[in-house]
Amino acid sequence: MAGTRFTDVRRFDTIDSTNRYLLDEARRGAPEGVVAVADHQEAGRGRLGRRWEAPPGANLLVSVLLRPDLPPASRHLASAVVALAAADAVDAVAGLATGLKWPNDLLGPDGRKLAGVLAEADLGAAAGPARPPVVVGIGINVAWPARLDDLPPELTTTATSLALETGHPVDRSALLDALLDALEPRVADLSTPTGRARQAADLRARCVTLGAAVRVELPDASFEGTAADVTDEGHLVVDTPDGRRTVVAGDVVHLRPLR
Ligand code: BT5
């Protein structure tokens, strides 16, 4: 994308995972800004070993290689800026207002999942002159599902697409261009405290988790409460009967349907 750091866009008909590809490229020293986009992933990754589903040629499957100048505590913002840029792009290209579910899902107006983000860091690659890489991948449901009965049973009540929500086709390459365009200033913001505060404010403004009754699922425990805030590091603050808790990483379930 001209005028951005994302000028090296590598396109694949089929690949296992665009995140896997860029993590390998990062280990070989690839610079910030490389983009991988695929028509089809044979092993699309979700978080925590889950899978990301998309039939060939229907959806936007893209990853970006970042080497952000970020304090470790603010690492979450690297994936948040991709989710925010995707929300900007969906607004601009599809004319659809989306909400962000913490940590990083894009939801349609009824709370169904339109997109998911997976950030993978390679801390082992910290040696050498370059800053450590973070690969952030996003899958945006563009044309699939075209109908809810196209979805596998486990997704019929939770997933949606731009085609379903808007009732018209959405151009994947226009969406990708808009996403990279919107991402440039957001990534630039990661290097300064004021920039990071601005991105955190945008995250707060887009975050439909705030005010919701939630269950937070951690690797070894879960708890319930009301999502109260997002910190300047991008962490979720939850009010519980036992006091305030700050969640750095975890899964969040919205306990009641969104407004
Ligand atoms: C995510 O994980 O939402 C992160 C998805 C990241 C996918 C992109 S595509 C480009 C890049 N390359 C990769 O290999 N991955 C990234 P998580 O929050 O764990 O959600 C995964 C769960 O969402 C699955 O277990 C399903 O329940 C559900 N799911 C799978 N495919 C879906 C889809 N297309 N739409 C909505 N939900 C889906």
Side-chain angles (χ1 to χ4, degrees):
M1 187 66 197
T4 73
R5 72 194 71 200
F6 306 108
T7 52
D8 183 355
V9 179
R10 305 182 189 176
R11 295 169 193 281
F12 299 89
D13 291 337
T14 299
I15 198 168
D16 53 346
S17 152
T18 54
N19 262 41
R20 193 281 308 155
Y21 170 78
L22 283 187
L23 279 167
D24 282 354
E25 288 298 291
R27 275 184 207 111
R28 286 196 272 272
E32 171 164 275
V34 181
V35 177
V37 56
D39 244 15
H40 181 48
Q41 294 185 125
E42 286 172 329
R45 299 180 184 173
R47 294 180 305 129
L48 307 167
R50 295 185 286 241
R51 280 185 63 91
W52 188 253
E53 307 291 343
N59 292 346
L60 182 59
L61 308 166
V62 60
S63 301
V64 296
L65 170 52
L66 303 178
R67 293 184 180 275
D69 186 9
L70 262 180
S74 299
R75 200 176 294 141
H76 178 69
L77 292 178
S79 52
V81 292
V82 172
L84 286 167
D88 295 340
V90 167
D91 256 348
V93 176
L96 183 71
T98 52
L100 291 192
K101 171 175 175 271
W102 196 93
N104 276 321
D105 289 349
L106 246 67
L107 303 185
D110 301 331
R112 285 170 171 268
K113 183 160 168 169
L114 267 171
V117 173
L118 170 67
E120 295 181 274
D122 190 350
L123 301 173
R131 286 190 295 267
V134 181
V135 170
V136 189
I138 183 164
I140 306 180
N141 297 338
V142 179
W144 182 88
R147 287 169 300 279
L148 287 182
D149 38 343
D150 293 343
L151 288 164
E154 67 277 14
L155 298 182
T156 41
T157 58
T158 58
T160 188
S161 68
L162 296 179
L164 255 180
E165 296 296 334
T166 65
H168 58 74
V170 174
D171 184 62
R172 279 188 298 165
S173 69
L175 194 63
L176 175 60
D177 285 355
L179 192 160
L180 297 177
D181 231 8
L183 188 56
E184 175 58 35
R186 293 190 180 279
V187 169
D189 261 359
L190 294 178
S191 348
T192 63
T194 30
R196 290 194 287 275
R198 185 160 46 227
Q199 295 307 312
D202 285 1
L203 182 55
R204 227 168 263 131
R206 276 275 186 190
C207 186
V208 291
T209 303
L210 291 182
V214 294
R215 183 171 63 249
V216 177
E217 296 177 344
L218 305 171
D220 47 3
S222 75
F223 65 89
E224 294 186 2
T226 304
D229 200 4
V230 171
T231 68
D232 274 358
E233 292 78 32
H235 304 156
L236 185 69
V237 179
V238 180
D239 282 333
T240 80
D242 306 321
R244 286 210 138 175
R245 296 184 59 168
T246 300
V247 186
V248 175
D251 266 337
V252 167
V253 179
H254 289 172
L255 292 178
R256 285 192 281 281
L258 297 165
R259 51 192 177 266

Coordinates of all heavy atoms in Angstrom, one line a residue, residues 16-20 41 43-48 50-54 59-63 104-105 113-118 120 136-141 144-145 151 154-155 158-160 251, ligand 1:
D16 N -0.6 -22.8 4.5 CA -1.2 -23.3 5.8 C -1.7 -22.2 6.6 O -2.9 -22.2 7.0 CB -0.1 -24.2 6.5 CG 1.2 -23.4 6.7 OD1 1.4 -22.3 6.1 OD2 2.0 -23.8 7.5
S17 N -0.9 -21.2 6.9 CA -1.3 -20.1 7.8 C -0.5 -18.9 7.5 O 0.8 -19.0 7.4 CB -1.2 -20.5 9.2 OG -1.0 -19.4 10.1
T18 N -1.1 -17.7 7.2 CA -0.3 -16.5 6.9 C 0.5 -16.1 8.2 O 1.6 -15.5 8.1 CB -1.2 -15.4 6.5 OG1 -2.3 -15.2 7.4 CG2 -1.8 -15.7 5.1
N19 N 0.0 -16.4 9.4 CA 0.7 -16.1 10.6 C 2.0 -16.9 10.7 O 3.1 -16.4 10.9 CB -0.1 -16.3 11.8 CG -0.8 -15.1 12.4 OD1 -1.2 -14.3 11.6 ND2 -0.8 -14.9 13.7
R20 N 1.9 -18.2 10.4 CA 3.0 -19.1 10.4 C 4.1 -18.6 9.4 O 5.3 -18.6 9.7 CB 2.6 -20.5 10.1 CG 3.6 -21.7 10.4 CD 4.6 -21.8 9.3 NE 4.1 -21.9 8.0 CZ 4.8 -21.6 6.9 NH1 6.0 -21.1 7.0 NH2 4.3 -21.7 5.7
Q41 N -6.5 -20.8 3.6 CA -5.6 -21.4 4.5 C -6.0 -22.8 4.9 O -7.1 -23.1 5.2 CB -5.6 -20.5 5.8 CG -5.1 -19.1 5.7 CD -5.0 -18.4 7.0 OE1 -4.0 -17.9 7.4 NE2 -6.1 -18.3 7.7
A43 N -4.6 -24.5 7.3 CA -4.5 -24.7 8.8 C -4.6 -23.3 9.5 O -3.6 -22.9 10.2 CB -3.2 -25.4 9.2
G44 N -5.6 -22.6 9.2 CA -5.8 -21.2 9.7 C -5.9 -21.3 11.2 O -6.6 -22.2 11.8
R45 N -5.2 -20.5 11.9 CA -5.1 -20.6 13.4 C -5.9 -19.6 14.1 O -6.0 -18.4 13.7 CB -3.6 -20.2 13.8 CG -2.5 -21.1 13.3 CD -1.2 -20.6 13.8 NE -0.1 -21.3 13.3 CZ 1.2 -21.0 13.5 NH1 1.5 -20.0 14.2 NH2 2.2 -21.7 13.0
G46 N -6.6 -20.0 15.1 CA -7.3 -19.1 16.1 C -6.3 -19.0 17.3 O -5.2 -19.5 17.2
R47 N -6.8 -18.4 18.3 CA -6.0 -18.3 19.5 C -6.1 -19.6 20.3 O -7.0 -20.5 20.0 CB -6.6 -17.2 20.4 CG -6.4 -15.8 19.8 CD -6.9 -14.7 20.6 NE -8.3 -14.9 21.0 CZ -8.7 -14.8 22.3 NH1 -7.9 -14.6 23.3 NH2 -10.0 -15.1 22.5
L48 N -5.1 -19.9 21.2 CA -5.1 -21.0 22.1 C -5.3 -22.3 21.3 O -6.0 -23.2 21.8 CB -6.2 -20.9 23.1 CG -6.1 -19.6 23.9 CD1 -7.4 -19.4 24.7 CD2 -4.9 -19.5 24.9
R50 N -6.9 -23.0 18.7 CA -8.2 -23.2 17.9 C -8.0 -22.9 16.4 O -6.9 -22.5 16.0 CB -9.2 -22.2 18.5 CG -9.5 -22.6 20.0 CD -10.7 -21.7 20.5 NE -10.3 -20.4 20.8 CZ -10.3 -19.8 22.0 NH1 -10.7 -20.4 23.0 NH2 -10.0 -18.5 22.1
R51 N -9.0 -23.3 15.7 CA -8.9 -23.1 14.2 C -9.7 -22.0 13.7 O -10.7 -21.6 14.3 CB -9.5 -24.4 13.5 CG -8.5 -25.6 13.5 CD -9.1 -26.7 12.7 NE -9.3 -26.4 11.3 CZ -8.4 -26.6 10.4 NH1 -7.2 -27.1 10.6 NH2 -8.7 -26.2 9.1
W52 N -9.3 -21.4 12.6 CA -10.0 -20.3 11.9 C -10.5 -20.9 10.6 O -9.8 -21.4 9.8 CB -9.2 -19.1 11.7 CG -10.0 -18.0 11.2 CD1 -10.0 -17.5 9.9 CD2 -11.0 -17.2 11.9 NE1 -11.0 -16.5 9.8 CE2 -11.5 -16.3 11.0 CE3 -11.4 -17.2 13.3 CZ2 -12.5 -15.4 11.5 CZ3 -12.4 -16.4 13.7 CH2 -12.9 -15.4 12.8
E53 N -11.9 -20.9 10.4 CA -12.5 -21.5 9.3 C -12.8 -20.5 8.2 O -13.3 -19.4 8.5 CB -13.8 -22.1 9.7 CG -13.8 -23.1 10.9 CD -13.1 -24.3 10.6 OE1 -12.9 -24.7 9.4 OE2 -12.7 -25.0 11.5
A54 N -12.5 -20.8 7.0 CA -12.9 -20.0 5.8 C -12.7 -20.8 4.6 O -11.7 -21.4 4.3 CB -12.0 -18.7 5.8
N59 N -13.1 -15.0 2.0 CA -12.9 -14.0 3.1 C -11.5 -13.4 3.0 O -10.6 -13.8 2.3 CB -13.1 -14.7 4.4 CG -14.5 -15.1 4.6 OD1 -15.4 -14.7 3.9 ND2 -14.8 -16.0 5.6
L60 N -11.3 -12.4 3.8 CA -10.0 -11.7 3.9 C -9.1 -12.4 5.0 O -9.5 -12.4 6.2 CB -10.1 -10.2 4.2 CG -8.8 -9.4 4.2 CD1 -8.1 -9.5 2.9 CD2 -9.1 -8.0 4.5
L61 N -8.0 -13.0 4.6 CA -7.1 -13.7 5.5 C -5.8 -13.0 5.4 O -5.1 -13.2 4.4 CB -7.1 -15.2 5.2 CG -8.4 -15.8 5.0 CD1 -8.3 -17.2 4.3 CD2 -9.1 -16.0 6.4
V62 N -5.4 -12.2 6.4 CA -4.2 -11.4 6.2 C -3.4 -11.3 7.5 O -4.0 -11.3 8.6 CB -4.5 -10.0 5.6 CG1 -5.5 -9.3 6.6 CG2 -3.3 -9.2 5.3
S63 N -2.1 -11.3 7.3 CA -1.2 -11.0 8.5 C -0.2 -9.9 8.2 O 0.2 -9.8 7.0 CB -0.4 -12.3 8.9 OG -1.3 -13.4 9.2
N104 N -10.2 -8.9 21.0 CA -9.9 -8.5 19.7 C -10.9 -9.0 18.6 O -10.5 -9.1 17.5 CB -8.5 -9.0 19.2 CG -7.5 -8.0 19.7 OD1 -7.6 -6.8 19.7 ND2 -6.4 -8.6 20.1
D105 N -12.1 -9.3 19.0 CA -13.1 -9.7 18.0 C -13.8 -8.5 17.4 O -14.1 -7.6 18.2 CB -14.1 -10.7 18.5 CG -13.5 -12.1 18.9 OD1 -12.4 -12.3 18.5 OD2 -14.3 -12.8 19.6
K113 N -19.8 -12.7 15.5 CA -18.4 -12.5 15.2 C -18.2 -12.3 13.7 O -18.5 -13.2 12.9 CB -17.6 -13.6 15.8 CG -16.1 -13.5 15.6 CD -15.4 -14.4 16.6 CE -13.9 -14.5 16.3 NZ -13.1 -15.1 17.4
L114 N -17.6 -11.2 13.3 CA -17.3 -10.9 11.9 C -15.8 -11.1 11.6 O -15.4 -11.3 10.5 CB -17.5 -9.4 11.7 CG -18.9 -8.9 11.1 CD1 -18.9 -7.4 11.2 CD2 -19.0 -9.4 9.7
A115 N -15.0 -11.0 12.6 CA -13.5 -11.1 12.4 C -12.9 -11.4 13.8 O -13.4 -11.1 14.8 CB -13.0 -9.8 11.9
G116 N -11.7 -12.1 13.6 CA -10.9 -12.4 14.8 C -9.4 -12.1 14.5 O -9.0 -12.2 13.4
V117 N -8.7 -11.8 15.6 CA -7.3 -11.4 15.5 C -6.5 -12.3 16.3 O -6.8 -12.7 17.4 CB -7.1 -9.9 16.0 CG1 -5.7 -9.5 16.1 CG2 -7.9 -8.9 15.2
L118 N -5.3 -12.7 15.7 CA -4.4 -13.5 16.4 C -3.0 -12.9 16.4 O -2.5 -12.7 15.3 CB -4.3 -14.9 15.8 CG -3.2 -15.8 16.2 CD1 -3.4 -16.3 17.7 CD2 -3.1 -17.1 15.4
E120 N 1.0 -13.2 17.4 CA 2.0 -14.2 17.9 C 3.3 -13.5 17.9 O 3.7 -12.9 16.9 CB 2.0 -15.4 16.9 CG 0.7 -16.2 17.0 CD 0.7 -17.4 16.1 OE1 0.4 -17.3 14.9 OE2 1.0 -18.5 16.6
V136 N 0.7 -10.1 13.5 CA -0.8 -10.0 13.8 C -1.6 -10.4 12.6 O -1.4 -9.8 11.5 CB -1.1 -8.6 14.3 CG1 -2.5 -8.5 14.8 CG2 -0.1 -8.1 15.3
G137 N -2.4 -11.4 12.8 CA -3.2 -11.9 11.7 C -4.7 -11.6 11.9 O -5.1 -11.6 13.1
I138 N -5.4 -11.3 10.9 CA -6.9 -11.1 11.1 C -7.6 -11.9 10.0 O -7.2 -11.9 8.8 CB -7.2 -9.6 11.1 CG1 -8.7 -9.4 11.3 CG2 -6.8 -8.9 9.8 CD1 -9.1 -8.1 11.8
G139 N -8.7 -12.5 10.4 CA -9.6 -13.1 9.4 C -10.9 -12.3 9.5 O -11.5 -12.2 10.5
I140 N -11.3 -11.8 8.3 CA -12.6 -11.0 8.3 C -13.5 -11.8 7.4 O -13.2 -12.1 6.2 CB -12.4 -9.6 7.7 CG1 -11.3 -8.8 8.5 CG2 -13.7 -8.8 7.8 CD1 -11.1 -7.4 8.0
N141 N -14.7 -12.1 7.9 CA -15.7 -12.9 7.1 C -16.3 -11.9 6.1 O -17.1 -11.0 6.5 CB -16.8 -13.5 8.0 CG -16.2 -14.5 9.0 OD1 -15.1 -15.1 8.7 ND2 -16.9 -14.7 10.1
W144 N -18.3 -15.2 3.1 CA -18.7 -16.4 3.8 C -18.9 -16.1 5.3 O -18.0 -15.6 5.8 CB -17.7 -17.5 3.6 CG -18.1 -18.8 4.2 CD1 -18.9 -19.8 3.7 CD2 -17.8 -19.3 5.5 NE1 -19.0 -20.9 4.6 CE2 -18.3 -20.6 5.7 CE3 -17.0 -18.7 6.6 CZ2 -18.2 -21.3 6.9 CZ3 -16.8 -19.5 7.8 CH2 -17.4 -20.8 7.9
P145 N -20.0 -16.5 5.9 CA -21.1 -17.2 5.3 C -22.0 -16.3 4.5 O -22.3 -15.2 4.9 CB -21.9 -17.7 6.6 CG -21.6 -16.7 7.6 CD -20.1 -16.3 7.3
L151 N -22.9 -22.2 7.6 CA -21.9 -22.4 8.7 C -22.0 -23.8 9.3 O -23.0 -24.4 9.3 CB -22.3 -21.4 9.8 CG -22.0 -19.9 9.5 CD1 -22.7 -19.0 10.5 CD2 -20.5 -19.6 9.6
E154 N -21.4 -25.6 14.9 CA -20.9 -24.9 16.1 C -20.8 -23.4 15.9 O -20.6 -22.7 16.8 CB -19.5 -25.5 16.5 CG -18.4 -25.3 15.5 CD -18.3 -26.3 14.4 OE1 -19.3 -27.0 14.1 OE2 -17.2 -26.3 13.7
L155 N -20.9 -22.9 14.6 CA -20.8 -21.5 14.4 C -22.2 -20.8 14.1 O -22.2 -19.6 13.9 CB -19.8 -21.2 13.3 CG -18.4 -21.6 13.6 CD1 -17.5 -21.2 12.4 CD2 -17.8 -21.0 14.9
T158 N -23.1 -18.0 16.3 CA -22.1 -17.0 16.7 C -21.5 -16.2 15.6 O -20.9 -15.2 15.9 CB -21.0 -17.7 17.5 OG1 -20.4 -18.7 16.6 CG2 -21.5 -18.4 18.7
A159 N -21.5 -16.7 14.4 CA -20.7 -16.0 13.3 C -21.6 -15.3 12.3 O -22.8 -15.6 12.2 CB -19.8 -17.1 12.6
T160 N -21.0 -14.3 11.6 CA -21.7 -13.7 10.5 C -20.6 -13.2 9.5 O -19.4 -13.4 9.7 CB -22.6 -12.6 11.0 OG1 -23.4 -12.1 10.0 CG2 -21.8 -11.4 11.6
D251 N -9.9 -15.2 27.7 CA -11.1 -15.2 26.9 C -12.3 -14.6 27.6 O -12.4 -14.7 28.8 CB -11.5 -16.7 26.6 CG -11.0 -17.2 25.3 OD1 -10.6 -16.3 24.4 OD2 -10.8 -18.4 25.1
Ligands
BT5_1 C1 -9.5 -15.7 16.6 O1 -9.3 -16.8 17.4 O2 -10.5 -15.2 16.4 C2 -8.3 -15.4 15.7 C3 -8.5 -15.7 14.2 C4 -7.3 -15.2 13.4 C5 -7.4 -15.7 12.0 C6 -6.4 -15.1 11.1 S1 -6.6 -15.4 9.4 C7 -5.1 -14.8 9.0 C8 -4.1 -15.2 10.1 N1 -3.5 -16.5 9.9 C9 -3.9 -17.4 10.7 O3 -3.5 -18.6 10.7 N2 -4.7 -16.9 11.6 C10 -4.9 -15.5 11.4 P1 -10.3 -17.2 18.6 O4 -10.7 -16.0 19.4 O5 -9.6 -18.3 19.3 O6 -11.5 -17.7 17.8 C11 -11.5 -19.0 17.1 C12 -12.9 -19.6 17.3 O7 -13.8 -18.8 16.5 C13 -13.0 -21.0 16.8 O8 -12.8 -21.9 17.8 C14 -14.5 -21.0 16.3 O9 -15.3 -21.3 17.4 C15 -14.7 -19.6 15.9 N3 -14.5 -19.4 14.4 C16 -13.7 -20.1 13.6 N4 -13.7 -19.6 12.4 C17 -14.6 -18.6 12.4 C18 -15.1 -17.6 11.5 N5 -14.7 -17.6 10.2 N6 -16.0 -16.7 11.9 C19 -16.4 -16.7 13.2 N7 -16.0 -17.5 14.1 C20 -15.1 -18.5 13.7

